[in-house]
Amino acid sequence: MGELILIRHGETEWSLSGQHTSHTDLPLTAHGENQARALVPLLADRQIALTLVSPLARARRTAELAGLRSTRISPDLHEWNYGGYEGVTTEEIRRTRPDWNLWTDGTTPGPGEHPGESPSDVSDRADRVLADVRAAGERSGDGDIVLVAHSHFLRVLTARYLRLTAAEGALFRLETGTVSRLGTEHGNPVITAWNLALPDSLLRTVQDLPHSA
């Protein structure tokens, strides 16, 4: 296969405020939609064999606006289940748990179908996605595979791709509406690009264009 291309969805109200967002299915903000549209030129010269997308609307809308076609929904690309910390910021959590660290401590249980996830839970999902990607890559030849998903999950996936632990995903800050790429060098897994986006001056140009989608 070619490279593994990671796309974090565009901005939402909660990504802007820093609230943990997993199952709460918020739409993109207007700025988030423009971020997604601005991904089109960053993907234009790529030979894309397969696009896997999180089931959440913010990821699906980002894929649509980025011009990605023939997408396949992958439930394992869902964001880290934050359980009882859904909608809560890190600063708020640390008022009662000063030493709390998502990457090592995971989350507390939430209501109903949202029990939260540990780092090992998310790591297992990332490993399943990577196994799926490798199998697809064997079938697709030199084409790239695109994953459109969420910050914390993609950071864990990056760590696992690099043969690191899930907790080391903390090292890879990932911005909204960006393209990152994973590849190889001399047979070893490497990051080939990270947090690519149009400069703000060009993003303003995208905002001024008429939009049909």
Side-chain angles (χ1 to χ4, degrees), residues 168-180:
E168 289 168 293
L171 300 173
F172 308 115
R173 178 169 173 154
L174 190 58
E175 305 293 345
T176 55
T178 56
V179 171
S180 300

Side-chain angles (χ1 to χ4, degrees), residues 157-185:
L157 182 137
T158 298
R160 299 300 298 143
Y161 179 88
L162 298 173
R163 303 170 186 160
L164 304 173
T165 66
E168 289 168 293
L171 300 173
F172 308 115
R173 178 169 173 154
L174 190 58
E175 305 293 345
T176 55
T178 56
V179 171
S180 300
R181 301 198 307 266
L182 305 178
T184 58
E185 183 182 46

Side-chain angles (χ1 to χ4, degrees), residues 16-34:
L16 185 60
S17 64
Q19 293 168 264
H20 288 90
T21 322
S22 54
H23 60 83
T24 304
D25 212 0
L26 297 175
L28 301 180
T29 62
H31 178 64
E33 294 214 344
N34 286 325

Side-chain angles (χ1 to χ4, degrees), residues 7 36 40 43 48-53 60-73 144 146 148 212-213:
I7 296 177
V40 172
L43 300 170
I48 297 172
L50 174 67
T51 300
L52 301 177
V53 182
R60 291 187 284 110
R61 181 62 171 160
T62 297
E64 175 189 359
L65 294 176
L68 295 164
R69 301 291 181 260
S70 301
T71 59
R72 191 178 95 198
I73 299 299
D144 298 324
V146 179
V148 186
S212 59

